Amino acid sequence: MSDASNDADLSERWLTVPDLMELLQVSPGRIHRLFEERTLLPARVDGVLRVPVEFLGDTEPLPELKGTLVVLGDNHFTDDEAVRWMLTVEESIGVSPIAALRAGRKAEVRRVAQTLL
């Protein structure tokens, strides 16, 4: 994602690393490992690494998220591009990919993600 202010509007709420540490009750190192493993993915919003709240369940990253983020990375999406795609309505599925994942449509989201280049 670019540092454009309209990107900030893509998520209901953006969480910083300190927010994630508090919410998940983990160290900053663990948060960065989640980023490296693509279990969670940050975007730079207003110059700060942030994660959309939609990427989390109650107390952990959505388990369905990782595989989709790996597919996007395999298709050469930058982290910012992957986060933007996850939050933007995808015409072929009718909702944002993250909304579809949260609704149990993992296979459909990954199928679409595999076609992106």
Side-chain angles (χ1 to χ4, degrees):
M1 244 177 229
S2 65
D3 247 352
S5 60
N6 63 343
D7 287 341
D9 296 334
L10 288 174
S11 177
E12 173 185 316
R13 184 170 144 226
W14 292 92
L15 303 169
T16 62
V17 169
D19 294 334
L20 290 165
M21 289 169 41
E22 183 177 332
L23 186 67
L24 303 176
Q25 296 293 298
V26 296
S27 69
R30 178 67 183 135
I31 297 298
H32 289 284
R33 276 191 300 285
L34 291 171
F35 294 165
E36 290 167 8
E37 296 165 356
R38 299 186 81 77
T39 302
L40 273 181
L41 204 57
R44 201 161 286 281
V45 178
D46 297 328
V48 177
L49 284 180
R50 299 175 192 263
V51 171
V53 71
E54 293 89 345
F55 284 10
L56 298 172
D58 291 333
T59 59
E60 63 184 20
L62 288 177
E64 303 84 4
L65 187 61
K66 183 176 181 173
T68 303
L69 296 177
V70 168
V71 169
L72 292 172
D74 289 349
N75 282 346
H76 307 290
F77 274 56
T78 66
D79 291 353
D80 289 344
E81 290 168 339
V83 171
R84 180 184 292 131
W85 184 78
M86 291 295 300
L87 296 172
T88 303
V89 172
E90 172 60 43
E91 192 175 302
S92 62
I93 56 179
V95 295
S96 68
I98 192 63
L101 280 181
R102 293 181 74 89
R105 296 165 58 191
K106 176 174 70 174
E108 181 181 5
V109 170
R110 290 193 185 157
R111 194 169 39 254
V112 171
Q114 288 173 337
T115 68
L116 303 172
L117 293 176

